[in-house]
């Protein structure tokens, strides 16, 4: 799975299941125009529901787009655990490790805060109610939680869940 801003200034959430290697043909891709949000703090949430094979985009707590690939439905996401996915480590703010085409994939130019990865589908109400809230870190299904409160010059992000997923900036 990958979340990025396309050269057309679209926010894109793209997932791929196992087995096929048809590039974007077998991916579930949801897009939404994003240029109007540049230069502003914006809450972005992406949700993948394996039960319905649907990808959702939320901006500032409101669902703005959804997509299903009925020809090649995806029912689960590959794990983010480095022990299981050592060939493709989780990258936040860059997906250069996934492609050598630097014209398509570049580093994110902006600021990030409150980065969360969940192992369950959040409801629209949870997304809206939690978008401006700092969590405890022990919420059910919260896999990784970077509050991004480290002091200047610190290059390691602390995982507030206590699971030890230290991030490196």
């Amino acid at each position: 799975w990958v979340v990025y801003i396309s050269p057309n200034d679209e926010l894109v959430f793209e997932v791929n299941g196992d087995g096929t290697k048809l590039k974007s043909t077998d991916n579930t891709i949801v897009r939404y125009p994003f240029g109007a949000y540049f230069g502003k703090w914006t809450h972005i949430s992406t949700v993948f529901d394996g039960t319905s094979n649907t990808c959702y985009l939320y901006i500032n707590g409101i669902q703005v787009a959804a997509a299903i690939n009925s020809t090649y439905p995806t029912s689960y996401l590959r794990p983010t655990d480095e022990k299981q996915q050592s060939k493709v480590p989780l990258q936040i703010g860059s997906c250069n490790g996934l492609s050598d085409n630097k014209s398509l994939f570049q580093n994110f130019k902006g600021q990030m805060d409150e980065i969360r990865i969940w192992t369950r589908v959040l409801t629209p109400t949870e997304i809206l109610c939690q978008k401006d809230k700092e969590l405890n870190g022990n919420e059910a299904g919260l896999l990784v939680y970077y509050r991004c409160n480290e002091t200047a010059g610190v290059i390691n992000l602390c995982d507030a869940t206590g699971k030890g997923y230290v991030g490196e900036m």
Side-chain angles (χ1 to χ4, degrees):
W1 54 273
V2 64
V3 179
Y4 60 94
I5 298 172
S6 75
N8 298 329
D9 294 338
E10 295 173 308
L11 178 62
V12 180
F13 178 38
E14 188 169 350
V15 302
N16 177 271
D18 285 334
T20 57
K21 300 197 184 305
L22 304 174
K23 300 193 178 184
S24 62
T25 302
D26 60 343
N27 291 357
T28 303
I29 305 170
V30 60
R31 304 171 182 273
Y32 188 77
F34 197 69
Y37 298 94
F38 291 172
K40 304 177 208 175
W41 274 106
T42 305
H43 181 268
I44 296 169
S45 205
T46 60
V47 175
F48 171 72
D49 185 340
T51 304
S52 66
N53 311 110
T54 307
C55 289
Y56 300 92
L57 280 176
Y58 290 78
I59 297 179
N60 294 324
I62 306 298
Q63 181 188 321
V64 295
I68 298 172
N69 184 336
S70 55
T71 306
Y72 298 98
T74 300
S75 59
Y76 72 96
L77 297 180
R78 294 181 184 124
T80 57
D81 188 340
E82 281 191 33
K83 296 170 192 139
Q84 297 178 36
Q85 284 292 102
S86 59
K87 292 182 182 177
V88 185
L90 176 64
Q91 297 180 26
I92 299 171
S94 174
C95 51
N96 287 332
L98 304 176
S99 172
D100 291 331
N101 187 341
K102 300 302 183 218
S103 65
L104 291 178
F105 297 113
Q106 299 178 3
N107 291 331
F108 177 72
K109 295 177 176 87
Q111 297 175 329
M112 293 186 197
D113 195 21
E114 293 288 317
I115 300 165
R116 307 166 185 174
I117 300 174
W118 298 81
T119 60
R120 65 179 184 86
V121 175
L122 296 182
T123 67
T125 301
E126 287 175 309
I127 292 170
L128 181 63
C129 291
Q130 292 178 4
K131 72 179 184 67
D132 296 318
K133 181 180 174 188
E134 185 174 284
L135 303 180
N136 293 323
N138 61 354
E139 289 76 5
L142 185 58
L143 178 66
V144 176
Y145 180 23
Y146 301 128
R147 289 186 176 125
C148 301
N149 293 339
E150 288 74 17
T151 57
V154 173
I155 62 167
N156 289 326
L157 292 172
C158 296
D159 177 15
T161 67
K163 295 181 180 88
Y165 290 105
V166 176
E168 182 179 318
M169 290 191 279

